[in-house]
Amino acid sequence: MQHRELGDSGVEVSEVGFGAWVVGTDWWGDRDEDDALDMVEYALDQGITYFDTGDVYGHGRSEELLGEVLAERGDEMTVATKVGYDFYNNPQAGHGELPKEMDAEYLRDAVEGSLDRLGVDSVDYLQLHNPDVAEFTPDVLELLDELREDGRADAIGVALGPSIGWLAEGEFAIEEEFDAVQYVGNILEQDVHQHFVEKIREEDASTSLIPRVPHSSGLLNEQVTPETELGEGDHRGFRPDEWYETGWEKIEELRFLERAERSSAEGSSGDKPRERDGERTMGQASLQWLLSFDEVATVTPTFRSKDDIDEWAAAPETPALSDEEQARVADLYETNFGIDRFDGMEKEDYRTSVDGDDLRDAGLIGSAD
């Protein structure tokens, strides 16, 4: 496993990270806490050192569980958390978004709560959780500087969401040279990713990028196939059916990225047969595509089994995408993989807090005139 730095912070992260939103929650499939802890330990054993959690995940339970591993193996781990949702005064209702609270005084208390649950005096990487651009107030920016100066956080950044979009927020963070920006980005959903890469290069900024959902909700690692029936409560079920239907067609156009023989052996956890025997699976290629950008520090897939950890932790050691492969991917994306029907998700549906001005400025949607 290779490591990269978050901005100029000195904080190093493994190129493949562990999205700890699966720890202490049931949004990505039910598992008991012992199983979740076992997966964290197993990921560490496979070389994954970066773990990304948030105070709202399980209303603090994800941090508490991660803290149990930190107490034993903290010297092996780089930990990020997020603050900004007021779960203290609001119960969780399904997958609905809780009220945000970006007041500086609240955020200061929230950070202390996170540190207590993690059992540490400081966190490696602290993120504001899904702020709107108007919430980057002078008081909040001053607080972030103070937290770094006081040694409560070694790196500062922002996690954008929920869902895909939020260009104005990412642009602001890059202009202010936050250490990192987290967002939804993958080989099937490149718009936001490519925009932030270009912005960093234009600004000559030190900000790093952290793409999440690198497997596009299970398509690129083929955990969601035409035969898959997503269970009630599965977070991936919020995608429209048309999006999955066109996605399966796009996967067929990307088969050239695989350098693997099909294995008939069942995975150790009882999952469907995986592609194991070659040099690079589709799931690994999708991570390699993101890691081909120098601006990307780490990617945070959603691990659902030890088989996932085995495969994706090994992704950085597989062959990097060639220039020819990169060019072919770019051509396919430019032509929507040759698909000319609606996939259920318009670029106009990308999330924005500025009435779409950021999307129009980026040329993703047409002008308002």
Side-chain angles (χ1 to χ4, degrees):
M1 179 68 69
Q2 303 298 312
H3 294 77
R4 301 185 185 185
E5 185 180 4
L6 290 181
D8 290 331
S9 67
V11 174
E12 291 197 342
V13 294
S14 53
E15 288 184 333
V16 177
F18 188 113
W21 41 82
V22 300
V23 177
T25 74
D26 61 1
W27 285 14
W28 286 265
D30 240 344
R31 62 174 53 83
D32 64 34
E33 292 185 349
D34 287 340
D35 288 341
L37 288 171
D38 190 38
M39 284 186 64
V40 171
E41 295 264 13
Y42 190 78
L44 273 169
D45 293 340
Q46 305 313 306
I48 293 172
T49 60
Y50 174 65
F51 295 83
D52 182 341
T53 187
D55 65 355
V56 75
Y57 301 147
H59 283 205
R61 189 58 181 153
S62 179
E63 290 178 326
E64 291 171 346
L65 291 171
L66 207 57
E68 293 182 23
V69 184
L70 270 167
E72 299 295 329
R73 302 181 66 173
D75 58 338
E76 304 173 52
M77 301 170 71
T78 299
V79 174
T81 196
K82 313 177 191 73
V83 294
Y85 282 107
D86 183 8
F87 65 91
Y88 295 97
N89 299 303
N90 298 280
Q92 186 71 51
H95 292 194
E97 188 176 6
L98 293 177
K100 286 188 295 183
E101 180 54 82
M102 293 292 171
D103 174 77
E105 185 173 346
Y106 170 86
L107 292 173
R108 186 188 299 277
D109 290 341
V111 170
E112 294 304 318
S114 289
L115 296 178
D116 287 344
R117 286 186 291 272
L118 290 166
V120 296
D121 294 325
S122 66
V123 68
D124 297 299
Y125 175 42
L126 176 68
Q127 302 160 90
L128 293 181
H129 203 171
N130 299 349
D132 292 347
V133 71
E135 293 170 328
F136 290 115
T137 63
D139 286 348
V140 168
L141 296 178
E142 182 179 354
L143 170 65
L144 295 177
D145 286 340
E146 289 176 4
L147 290 169
R148 196 200 313 258
E149 291 168 3
D150 293 344
R152 306 303 264 169
D154 295 325
I156 296 294
V158 59
L160 304 182
S163 192
I164 192 168
W166 312 105
L167 297 190
E169 288 73 15
E171 291 169 356
F172 180 89
I174 292 167
E175 290 166 359
E176 294 292 318
E177 294 208 71
F178 279 36
D179 293 305
V181 173
Q182 181 188 146
Y183 57 95
V184 175
N186 55 69
I187 204 169
L188 296 182
E189 299 171 294
Q190 297 184 24
D191 294 336
V192 173
H193 169 75
Q194 296 284 12
H195 181 75
F196 290 156
V197 168
E198 292 169 6
K199 180 69 173 178
I200 288 172
R201 292 174 182 176
E202 289 171 3
E203 298 285 332
D204 193 24
S206 62
T207 304
S208 294
L209 298 177
I210 303 177
R212 69 176 185 274
V213 200
H215 291 125
S216 200
S217 296
L219 284 177
L220 287 161
N221 57 311
E222 298 185 86
Q223 286 184 346
V224 177
T225 71
E227 290 73 40
T228 302
E229 292 186 13
L230 297 174
E232 185 177 353
D234 191 311
H235 196 69
R236 297 168 297 176
F238 286 86
R239 301 271 199 178
D241 290 343
E242 298 94 331
W243 185 84
Y244 283 111
E245 290 163 4
T246 57
W248 295 319
E249 295 180 41
K250 294 173 184 178
I251 296 301
E252 293 307 312
E253 296 298 318
L254 290 170
R255 290 291 179 198
F256 68 91
L257 294 176
E258 293 177 323
R259 298 185 184 179
E261 297 176 3
R262 299 220 176 235
S263 170
S264 60
E266 191 176 71
S268 63
S269 64
D271 290 343
K272 71 179 181 67
R274 308 291 300 179
E275 291 183 357
R276 291 289 185 205
D277 301 332
E279 294 180 338
R280 189 177 66 201
T281 66
M282 180 70 76
Q284 291 170 333
S286 65
L287 300 186
Q288 279 284 31
W289 181 80
L290 288 166
L291 291 170
S292 71
F293 294 87
D294 292 339
E295 292 80 7
V296 170
T298 182
V299 295
T300 52
T302 300
F303 296 108
R304 300 172 66 85
S305 70
K306 289 182 179 179
D307 284 340
D308 292 342
I309 295 172
D310 286 339
E311 180 179 349
W312 304 338
E317 307 308 318
T318 63
L321 271 63
S322 67
D323 291 344
E324 181 181 356
E325 289 171 328
Q326 292 276 20
R328 190 169 171 186
V329 169
D331 287 344
L332 283 169
Y333 193 78
E334 182 68 24
T335 59
N336 195 34
F337 298 82
I339 298 171
D340 62 1
R341 69 181 187 279
F342 180 51
D343 68 359
M345 295 180 69
E346 301 271 17
K347 293 183 179 181
E348 285 80 357
D349 294 331
Y350 287 174
R351 302 294 293 275
T352 175
S353 67
V354 291
D355 295 325
D357 287 345
D358 50 353
L359 301 175
R360 283 185 283 274
D361 289 345
L364 294 180
I365 63 175
S367 67
D369 298 333

